[in-house]
Amino acid sequence: MKKLLVLGAGTAGTMVVNRLCRMLDCDEWQITIVDPHETHYYQPGFLFIPFGMYSKNDVVKPKRDFIPAGVQMIKAAADVIEPDQNRVKLTDGRILPWYKSIYDFYTIEGALALAKRLRDWEGGRLVVNVVENPIKCPVAPLEFIMLADWFFHEQGIRDRVELIYATPLSGAFTKPIAAKHLGDILEQKNVKVVPDFMVEHVDPDARKLVHYDETELEYDLLVTVPLNMGDDLIARSSLGDELNYVPVDKHTFLSNQHPNIFVLGDAASVPTSKAGSVAHFAVDCFAENFVRYTDGLEMHPSFDGHANCFIESGFGKGLLIDFNYDVEPLPGRYPLPGVGPFTLLQESEMNHWGKMMFRWMYWNILLKGQELPLPARMSMSGKWK
Amino acid sequence: MATRTIAGKTVQVNDEGFMTNPSEWTKEIGVEIATEEGIATLTDAHWKVIDYCRSTAPSLNGKSPTLRQITTGTNISTKELFALFPKGPAKKVAHIAGLGKPEGCV
């Protein structure tokens, strides 16, 4: 029996076992997924909790509900990966052998605490600070601050709230065209962007952020976005780079050093964000290639870094971005027969409803490894250059 | 592609003044760009960082490493990097070392 071991039952790991469970021969393969946690969180929903749009119940379901029959699920934490021995040691001492391995790894506590704090906050200076890049999702802090603008309008205290976005980037976003569009929207919403802000430490007593160059930024309420690193397991196993990401081929996810390890999701060094929207098309391409690989065929360099994601911008509107490794998010239209088109890099109510629908699609289609009628590779159709 | 003459040599640069062909770079060019950036003298510590960025760029498609990669690779702390290359060390080193500035991902 060949053994496929998947470490981490997060978005990528769950989609992978569902997909491969259907594509691989069950008489030939035993698939095992390992994760220390029982709850699957719909992480994009955390953004809505502080503003009362979602409750905790909207974003949690048992991980087990999404693991298909026929896949062995082990609730345990991995201690170290030993690729040369084709095995993983668990923290409880068990040793799991494998043939090929894949993994991904990310708090609802912060979102719930903030919801409570915002309920009776009387205004002041709210600073959203990105500590260091890469972060989990480059648009999430922007969505937060735009929703905060809407939320404080609704609360009738917007005139008493100063919104500041302090980022280590030189502008509102990583890529120039989207940075310009998003920067303009933030300006319209009276959000001040403080670029090139590299925070060295926070002084909670004096309520200020201190930059490495010793300049300071005062706050009344601080929302901070941490660096996104791979799990310590990767460091303990000497498999990763300075961010605990495992170097892999960006088109196939095969480890550069170990022919028996594939990495998708949070722990892969692919040059794109670690958001679930990237994992979605990544899994489409990976599953097909994995079957080719195990059959001894050459893999296609099929994953082009394609991802699309809705950006909630408050007042019942949103934006959509669609991009890949080579093409940055561009303005235009995203065609979708029957439903679309959605507006790219421009606010529309349709995009807001797209984002709201996404939660249903996540739980009912994506996690179960079903395919959406969207091409995995990016298309230039509708994009304005 | 725009060109400009630095330290007596004509090199290709992009809109932001970053060199686009790392092989055209010389130490003299580095010294002149550093002066433009307000760093009058390049010390051994400056050169340690510049040399590190030059050595890793080929594996990063000609781009300069990120701040975290520099601190990990040179054992020089972020605080010291801000002292050596004030305001934006990662971008400033990239400019001086004739490399593309480090790029973030979407």
Side-chain angles (χ1 to χ4, degrees), chain A residues 317-362:
Chain A
K317 291 184 179 175
L319 295 87
L320 178 67
I321 52 172
D322 189 63
F323 55 91
N324 69 11
Y325 289 141
D326 302 316
V327 179
E328 64 175 302
L330 296 169
R333 296 287 180 268
Y334 184 81
L336 185 61
V339 189
F342 294 96
T343 56
L344 291 169
L345 263 183
Q346 286 173 323
E347 290 187 280
S348 73
E349 289 180 7
M350 188 69 186
N351 287 335
H352 164 72
W353 291 113
K355 179 112 184 174
M356 294 294 113
M357 272 299 293
F358 189 76
R359 184 181 55 164
W360 186 90
M361 293 199 296
Y362 181 83

Side-chain angles (χ1 to χ4, degrees), chain A residues 166-303:
Chain A
T167 168
L169 298 171
S170 299
F173 196 62
T174 48
K175 298 288 180 188
I177 294 173
K180 168 83 175 62
H181 283 261
L182 292 162
D184 288 348
I185 293 173
L186 292 182
E187 197 177 329
Q188 286 160 19
K189 293 179 184 291
N190 197 19
V191 174
K192 185 181 170 201
V193 177
V194 179
D196 300 312
F197 194 90
M198 285 284 296
V199 65
E200 187 201 10
H201 69 273
V202 179
D203 182 341
D205 296 328
R207 291 190 179 175
K208 61 186 182 189
L209 294 162
V210 183
H211 190 293
Y212 278 105
D213 68 8
E214 290 169 8
T215 54
E216 297 175 350
L217 182 60
E218 293 180 344
Y219 64 84
D220 295 304
L221 185 62
L222 175 66
V223 176
T224 182
V225 183
L227 174 72
N228 188 85
M229 290 183 68
D231 196 275
D232 278 344
L233 166 66
I234 306 297
R236 290 197 299 273
S237 308
S238 304
L239 288 172
D241 60 15
E242 72 285 349
L243 290 167
N244 295 347
Y245 294 158
V246 183
V248 294
D249 181 290
K250 68 180 185 179
H251 302 297
T252 64
F253 305 101
L254 179 62
S255 158
N256 293 346
Q257 285 168 347
H258 301 283
N260 50 354
I261 294 181
F262 286 85
V263 189
L264 286 96
D266 281 336
S269 73
V270 292
T272 186
S273 91
K274 309 301 172 198
S277 54
V278 173
H280 166 203
F281 293 124
V283 169
D284 281 356
C285 298
F286 162 77
E288 197 175 306
N289 260 331
F290 183 77
V291 173
R292 289 182 67 84
Y293 188 71
T294 56
D295 287 344
L297 299 170
E298 199 178 326
M299 292 189 286
H300 296 304
S302 49
F303 185 59

Side-chain angles (χ1 to χ4, degrees), chain B:
Chain B
M1 188 68 76
T3 57
R4 66 169 286 207
T5 304
I6 313 171
K9 197 175 166 188
T10 303
V11 297
Q12 298 176 61
V13 291
N14 68 12
D15 301 345
E16 295 178 288
F18 286 77
M19 287 175 63
T20 53
N21 182 355
S23 64
E24 293 178 336
W25 182 85
T26 61
K27 291 202 165 196
E28 292 70 30
I29 290 177
V31 171
E32 187 160 321
I33 299 175
T35 311
E36 289 170 15
E37 289 276 12
I39 304 168
T41 311
L42 290 174
T43 62
D44 288 350
H46 288 102
W47 282 112
K48 185 178 177 184
V49 179
I50 296 166
D51 290 343
Y52 173 77
C53 296
R54 294 282 309 174
S55 69
T56 55
S59 63
L60 300 167
N61 288 327
K63 300 279 185 289
S64 192
T66 62
L67 213 51
R68 181 171 284 264
Q69 286 168 331
I70 297 172
T71 54
T72 310
T74 61
N75 283 326
I76 294 176
S77 72
T78 310
K79 188 92 179 166
E80 290 171 85
L81 285 173
F82 269 88
L84 290 167
F85 303 93
K87 299 221 157 118
K91 260 192 290 185
K92 220 160 247 192
V93 176
H95 193 195
I96 295 168
L99 304 167
K101 68 176 178 184
E103 278 185 3
C105 301
V106 174

